[in-house]
Each structure stands twice: as C-alpha cells, then as structure tokens.
Amino acid sequence: MANRYTFNTSLEGFINCGEPAGKYNNMCFSFKLPSDVLEKVEDDYEALMDWAKSKVPNPNRVTIAARKWDEDGLVKYSFGGDTNRPDLVFIDTEGQILDKPTRQSIRKGTKARIICDQKPYTKPSVGTTIKVLGIQIVELVAGAVSDSGELTTEDIVSMFAEEPVSGFKTNSPSPRETATAGSEEYEDF
C-alpha cells in the first residue's frame, strides 16, 4: 500500500548526491512539496495511518512517529551508503543517467522533477515514510553556474524583456551622426 506523487520542485539545504560521506555515510538533499501535493500527502497520511493502526494488536498503546515533512512541506531525504535506502536514479531531461561527477556538482536551487511514494509502516512505531524513486534534473545549479539547456530565441527575448532599457528599436529608428569609422572617439551610453 503506497501513494505515488510526481511534482516539480527545487532542491534545498545541504546537498550531497555524489558519494556517501559524513557521520552516517550517506547521501542527502532536501526538497519542498508544492502546496497542492502537500494537501494530497496530508490527506493520504490520515488514510495510511488508519490502515497501519489496524495492523497492530493494540492501536491505543502504539507510538506514533513524526511526519517525514514539516508544516511547510520540507522533506529532508537521505539515501545510499549505510542507510537501508538504495542509491537513487538521477536523469537529465533527455532520460540520460547522470554520472557521479555531475551528481556531485548538484547544488541548492537545482530544479527537479521528483517521483516519490508515501508508505505506511508498523514497527517499531506507526507512521508513514516518503521514499524517493527517482529524480529528473530540469535545471542544474552547480556552484555559481546554472544550466537549463539550450536557449531558444523566445527564451533570450523574454530574458532581455525582464529589464527593458532605452535605445535602438527596429520599428522606430532614430539615426544620428556619429564619429567617422576608424575614429578613436567613443561615446559611453
């Protein structure tokens, strides 16, 4: 019994997706559930908890585990290494599996599409867990550099349109006399 969700989000917090490291010898990242997905996750949580409680001998004497997300929908996820969660599949927008160096370069702000399941469990306490099945990197942020793939003409036009400046316009030219070609005089604009 599990409920599956697919959504777009950005990776947050401390990110290590290349090689297991640290005290727990694992890899990790955080992501925020979008508000519409968070509502669905919360609704499903209640139904999954009812099912899990029905599987324990005395549901009134069982410990209820904390949710795996906070009130804003932030999920801190760890995998690989010494954890019981296997390594994840990371792909690009063409379906190519990312190599370890590319995975190691993933930083906060990377835009991704995530597929995950919410599953109930009954031991040692009763609760649900979020299990990420795979991640598609839509826009890679690697340090101070971002790569969102090739830009179309429309993409470039929209980026320049964000901060309009005065000056040359194809539809309304305003010619003026300038220094002759080869002149050393330049005008700052």
Side-chain angles (χ1 to χ4, degrees):
M1 171 174 236
N3 295 332
R4 183 158 294 162
Y5 315 98
T6 302
F7 52 89
N8 295 325
T9 189
S10 293
L11 302 185
E12 300 185 14
F14 178 76
I15 298 173
N16 172 21
C17 297
E19 292 290 334
K23 179 179 176 182
Y24 299 105
N25 191 35
N26 64 0
M27 294 174 275
C28 61
F29 59 90
S30 299
F31 61 91
K32 196 172 280 190
L33 297 166
S35 58
D36 59 327
V37 175
L38 179 58
E39 279 183 39
K40 180 77 173 127
V41 167
E42 288 285 355
D43 290 344
D44 292 344
Y45 173 80
E46 297 302 327
L48 292 170
M49 287 298 289
D50 289 342
W51 179 87
K53 288 176 187 175
S54 74
K55 302 299 179 195
V56 295
N58 189 351
N60 295 329
R61 296 189 60 154
V62 70
T63 303
I64 305 296
R67 287 175 167 84
K68 301 301 180 196
W69 58 92
D70 68 12
E71 63 276 354
D72 296 325
L74 183 68
V75 176
K76 295 179 180 178
Y77 193 77
S78 62
F79 61 99
D82 292 342
T83 67
N84 60 356
R85 295 179 180 170
D87 196 4
L88 291 176
V89 175
F90 286 78
I91 64 170
D92 67 11
T93 55
E94 293 181 328
Q96 298 296 315
I97 295 176
L98 300 185
D99 58 14
K100 291 285 184 182
T102 303
R103 285 177 50 168
Q104 188 65 42
S105 71
I106 296 172
R107 297 289 180 262
K108 180 179 178 179
T110 294
K111 293 180 182 173
R113 185 160 179 79
I114 294 179
I115 300 172
C116 64
D117 285 344
Q118 179 180 195
K119 294 182 173 187
Y121 59 88
T122 58
K123 292 182 181 176
S125 56
V126 173
T128 68
T129 187
I130 298 289
K131 180 179 181 184
V132 176
L133 304 175
I135 300 177
Q136 181 179 46
I137 301 299
V138 177
E139 181 177 327
L140 175 66
V141 174
V145 177
S146 156
D147 183 357
S148 58
E150 294 182 27
L151 294 173
T152 65
T153 303
E154 292 80 21
D155 294 335
I156 294 170
V157 169
S158 68
M159 289 176 2
F160 281 120
E162 291 173 3
E163 292 186 40
V165 295
S166 61
F168 174 75
K169 295 176 183 72
T170 304
N171 293 332
S172 60
S174 302
R176 58 186 171 89
E177 188 175 330
T178 62
T180 60
S183 172
E184 296 300 318
E185 295 179 29
Y186 294 98
E187 187 176 314
D188 292 333
F189 54 98

